Structures are given as C-alpha cells and as structure tokens.
Amino acid sequence: MSEVIVVDTGTANLASVCAALVRVGAAPRLSTDASVVAAAERVVLPGVGAFGAGMARLEATGLAVALTKRAREGRALLCVCLGLQLLCRESEESPGISGLGVIDAAVRRFEDRAGLVVPQLGWNLVEPALDSTLLASGHAYFANSYRLDALPAGYSGALAVHGSPFVAALEKGALLACQFHPELSGAWGHALLGRWLAKVRAC
Amino acid sequence: MGTRAARALAREGARVLTIRVVPCLDIDAGRVVKGVRFSGMRDAGDPTERALAYEAQGADELVMLDVSATPEGRGNATETVRRVRAVLGIPLTVGGGVRTIEDARALLEAGADKVASNTAAALEPSLLDRLARTFGSQCTVLALDAARRQDGAGWELVVRSGKERTSRCAVAWAREAASRGAGEIVLTSWDRDGTRAGYDIELIGAVTSAVRIPVVASGGAAHAQHMLEAVRAGASAVLAASILHDGEVTVGDLKRALAAAEIPVRM
C-alpha cells in the first residue's frame, strides 16, 4: 500500500478525502508535522474553509515552507479546492493575506451576475488541456465561491465554466491541484486519484 | 489554454452547472425510514446499501437526515455517517440534531461534506454565521421546512421535524440565512412531503427569487415532470425519497427524462 500523508488542516472534509484514498488502494495518514510533509513520498493538501484561516494554520505549523518547496520542485502533491487557491499569491476572500505564492496569480470571487448561483455547488464539465497527462474530460464536483481565472504559464491543467471560464485543475510534474473535489467526484474522481498515485510511482 | 479544451467549452456555450438529483435518506436508529408529512415512518432499508445503490444509479449527492435527533434530544448519527462514508464517492450532506459547532465537527469528522441545520438555526440564527465562519459557506446548509399558512398568504417556517409551526415567514428566513453565510438551502414543503403531489412550485419560485445561493427542492416528487417544474422555478437540485426507496424509478430514469427535456444533467 502506498502511504499518503494528508495534511491535517483541522476543518477540511478529511474523512471524505481519506475514505477515497483508501478506496483507491492508498494508506492515508494525517499529519501536521512539517518534517513529515517534507520527507513524504506523497502528500495531499485538502482544503475546506477560508483562505486567511487556511494560510494562518500553514504558517503556524511551518507547513507553508515545506509545501511551497514540494510544489516548486513538482514533487507528488495533490491540492484540493482551497488547497489550489493557497498555492496562489493572494485571494479576494482574505485581502492582505499572502498565499504560498507558488503561482503568481490572484484568486477572485465568481462574478456578481444575475442568474449565477454562488457558491458553485455541484457537478460541472471539466475539459483538460492537450498536454495534460492526468486529467480526463468529465464531470467533477465543485464547492467554491472563489476561483483562478486562467492557467498560469508553465502549467498544464483543465478549465470549466461557471459564468466564465475558470481553472478546474493545474498540473505540473507530480503536482496536481484541483478546484473540484476528486474525492467526491464518483468514478471519474476515483480514476483521477488512481492516475495520480500511479504517476507518483512512475516518477 | 489548449485549443481542444477551448473548443469544447465554446461548444457548450453558456452552459451552467448540471442540475443535481439528490436521494434523501431519513435515518432513525440506523435505518432508512420514510413517512408522510414527517410522520407514519416505515422502514426503507439499510443506509449503506441504499447509498451504494443510489451512487451506482447516478445520484449526484446524498442527503441524510437523522429525523429522530431533535424530538428525542439524541445526538447525531455519526456511526451511520462513518459507515456510509466508507463506501460513498459522492458528496454527503448530513442534518438532524446539529445544535453546535462541535455537533457539526463530529459529523464532518465522521465523513459528512456539508452539515444541515434546521431547528437549532431557527432558534439561534447566529449558529449559521458560526458554521460558515468555521467550516465555510459551502459546508453550511440550511434545512428549511415550510408550510403554507392557513389563510394562504405565503409560507411559515416549521421546526422540530415538522411538529411546530412558528408563524415566521419562510422566505424572509431563507434570505436572512443566506446573508448569515448559509451556502445552500434544502427547501422542504411540509404540505407536500411524502405525498407525491409534486413540489410546491410557488414556494420554490419565492425562495429562489429571494436568494443567490443554490436551493434544493424537496417534498412531493413523484416523477421527472415534477423535477422539471422545480428546475424551471429556479431549483439547482431536486431531492426525492419515497419514489426512489420504493423502486418506482431509478435516479438514472429521472436523469434521462430531465436530459430529454434539455435540462443539463451528469449522465
């Protein structure tokens, strides 16, 4: 069984993430220890909650440094939902708070537009870029009010549309950051988790 | 952005999120039950078996309500949540007896993705602010049970598993809950619950016009036509229990009928 360190963010839907990892044959273990996260072969950064609170926890535990290093080196890291947003420079959700800054972009709220339901809660169509090796076309489950609106330079990934196009996922080496919840995206999400685990093994 | 993705998105045009079909499991003492207008409960199977079957049929998420939690002052059905979570690969909303942040945390730790509050939020609305601040709006669901007023002038909020009318305006409460940070409303018509007479379409229209957050239509669904009406009235998701538990239709049947009416669904 492949051990996967799941960063214990305190308020995330950790049980769902761990249950999904078990179903794809991994052995999840919760940790808040920066040295464990730095040394682990595979790490998952789940994310539910606010940007500012999430960053405060990562800073307080020294995880911010360990996660930034992992992400920059393209080592096996799966970021989910807020986890993707935390990779960015900043977010409209928590003005004045710096993110991990791995991606030099700002996260913004979905537009305030008639007929556009916010938060986006539900299944939306994900379309991968041509050079994506992990992502497949299909429906994924989203639960977000904020989003990144364009793929940053140097990253592959996938887009979806809610009002306008937004980043559904980012991919670079063994780094996979999903705005959607792969752990809640049924058979499609299950398959994606399986490919991420397999990719890590191949690296 | 890769051209294939851009082309595919352009083809989809101004598409929206798919409409969710949501089976609801009312839970009492670890079993699925179903009644009419919140009473006359009868057994409808094992929660884990039901959850697996509905995911296989194409359910977009599940709602699980511990219907006995409030009346009997019991805690939450965390053990049932844990068993269902182990097998379920789609989102799970859990409600019933959520009175505090710690109640919600226990359900999330057991495997819920969203937590629904009804009676406790109505009695102490700041619970919604605290849930949203602690866990996020996407995790904070208002379960709103609404009954038509005797004089026909709108709807009043019903609490304590349908047992107590409050005289409070259900639409105004929906608006307040959204402003306090609720990220979704599961809107149940007390009058239609379990009757198969169709959702209360006017109620859905009134609430979806009042808030921007997604509204899950609940109470009275007998077939896909009812769901189509709810979606046209503004619902983001349609909930059903009796018709699915009794095996009259599958989630797949309902989704195929909705797709035929050009409602976007995940097949």
Side-chain angles (χ1 to χ4, degrees):
Chain A
M1 288 247 274
S2 355
E3 186 180 74
V4 177
I5 297 299
V6 178
V7 177
D8 187 351
T9 43
T11 61
N13 61 339
L14 291 167
S16 296
V17 173
C18 291
L21 287 168
V22 168
R23 287 196 299 274
V24 295
R29 182 158 72 85
L30 294 178
S31 179
T32 51
D33 186 330
S35 60
V36 169
V37 167
E41 198 173 359
R42 308 169 181 84
V43 173
V44 175
L45 175 62
V48 169
F51 186 89
M55 269 315 294
R57 273 193 303 275
L58 295 186
E59 299 280 8
T61 48
L63 284 165
V65 174
L67 288 166
T68 303
K69 192 157 183 290
R70 277 199 89 92
R72 287 197 193 283
E73 291 169 358
R75 290 170 66 208
L77 176 63
L78 171 63
C79 301
V80 177
C81 197
L82 178 67
L84 178 153
Q85 299 177 8
L86 291 172
L87 292 176
C88 298
R89 188 181 67 227
E90 61 190 353
S91 170
E92 265 182 14
E93 187 178 14
S94 306
I97 306 287
S98 292
L100 295 175
V102 173
I103 293 160
D104 187 22
V107 176
R108 292 188 300 171
R109 194 175 159 84
F110 281 116
E111 298 146 87
D112 192 3
R113 182 203 288 188
L116 190 67
V117 173
V118 178
Q120 167 180 229
L121 272 183
W123 297 76
N124 207 337
L125 186 66
V126 170
E127 281 294 343
L130 281 174
D131 55 351
S132 167
T133 61
L134 286 171
L135 294 149
S137 177
H139 282 99
Y141 182 82
F142 291 85
N144 61 310
S145 300
Y146 297 83
R147 91 297 189 211
L148 189 60
D149 60 9
L151 283 174
Y155 286 82
S156 183
L159 294 186
V161 177
H162 188 56
S164 53
F166 69 95
V167 173
L170 293 171
E171 180 188 336
K172 185 183 201 175
L175 167 66
L176 176 65
C178 305
Q179 183 58 69
F180 54 83
H181 288 268
E183 78 279 12
L184 301 178
S185 294
W188 183 91
H190 190 276
L192 176 61
L193 288 173
R195 287 194 297 274
W196 177 71
L197 282 174
K199 172 142 189 164
V200 177
R201 286 192 200 102
C203 280
Chain B
M1 183 61 210
T3 50
R4 182 177 57 137
R7 266 203 312 276
L9 291 170
R11 201 170 53 233
E12 290 289 322
R15 78 187 309 291
V16 292
L17 278 180
T18 58
I19 296 297
R20 289 170 280 154
V21 176
V22 184
C24 178
L25 308 180
D26 288 346
I27 305 288
D28 187 8
R31 297 287 291 178
V32 180
V33 296
K34 188 58 204 165
V36 176
R37 295 195 183 96
F38 298 81
S39 62
M41 296 294 176
R42 58 197 165 75
D43 191 85
D46 173 71
T48 309
E49 285 169 21
R50 285 286 169 189
L52 268 179
Y54 291 143
E55 182 179 345
Q57 288 177 15
D60 294 305
E61 62 182 88
L62 289 188
V63 169
M64 234 168 70
L65 299 174
D66 183 3
V67 290
S68 57
T70 298
E72 295 165 24
R74 239 189 300 123
N76 309 297
T78 50
E79 194 42 47
T80 306
V81 173
R82 203 165 278 122
R83 286 198 293 128
V84 168
R85 178 77 283 161
V87 300
L88 187 71
I90 56 174
L92 177 63
T93 299
V94 181
V98 178
R99 295 182 189 80
T100 65
I101 295 294
E102 289 319 307
D103 291 338
R105 195 186 302 279
L107 291 174
L108 291 169
E109 282 176 2
D113 301 293
K114 301 187 249 183
V115 172
S117 181
N118 182 339
T119 304
L123 298 177
E124 180 48 69
S126 75
L127 176 62
L128 294 174
D129 302 71
R130 286 179 282 126
L131 286 170
R133 221 171 27 239
T134 311
F135 305 112
S137 282
Q138 80 296 324
C139 185
T140 304
V141 177
L142 174 72
L144 198 171
D145 299 338
R148 281 185 179 258
R149 294 187 197 275
Q150 314 288 3
D151 63 4
W155 299 264
E156 63 186 328
L157 171 65
V158 182
V159 296
R160 300 193 200 283
S161 297
K163 291 183 178 56
E164 187 180 319
R165 289 178 177 245
T166 63
S167 83
R168 237 157 107 190
C169 173
V171 177
W173 170 228
R175 196 181 290 119
E176 178 182 342
S179 74
R180 286 179 178 275
E184 182 164 71
I185 296 174
V186 175
L187 177 64
T188 301
S189 161
W190 182 90
D191 308 276
R192 301 295 177 89
D193 178 67
T195 64
R196 308 189 188 197
Y199 300 107
D200 186 336
I201 298 302
E202 288 173 20
L203 172 66
I204 294 164
V207 172
T208 56
S209 303
V211 299
R212 271 190 83 198
I213 60 176
V215 172
V216 184
S218 162
H223 44 65
Q225 185 61 32
H226 287 148
M227 296 180 161
L228 190 58
E229 291 163 8
V231 171
R232 289 188 173 145
S236 293
V238 286
L239 182 145
S242 316
I243 53 169
L244 295 172
H245 299 342
D246 292 348
E248 289 174 25
V249 290
T250 65
V251 175
D253 296 333
L254 295 168
K255 286 181 134 181
R256 276 186 289 278
L258 288 171
E262 298 193 335
I263 300 298
V265 291
R266 175 183 70 109
M267 295 305 289

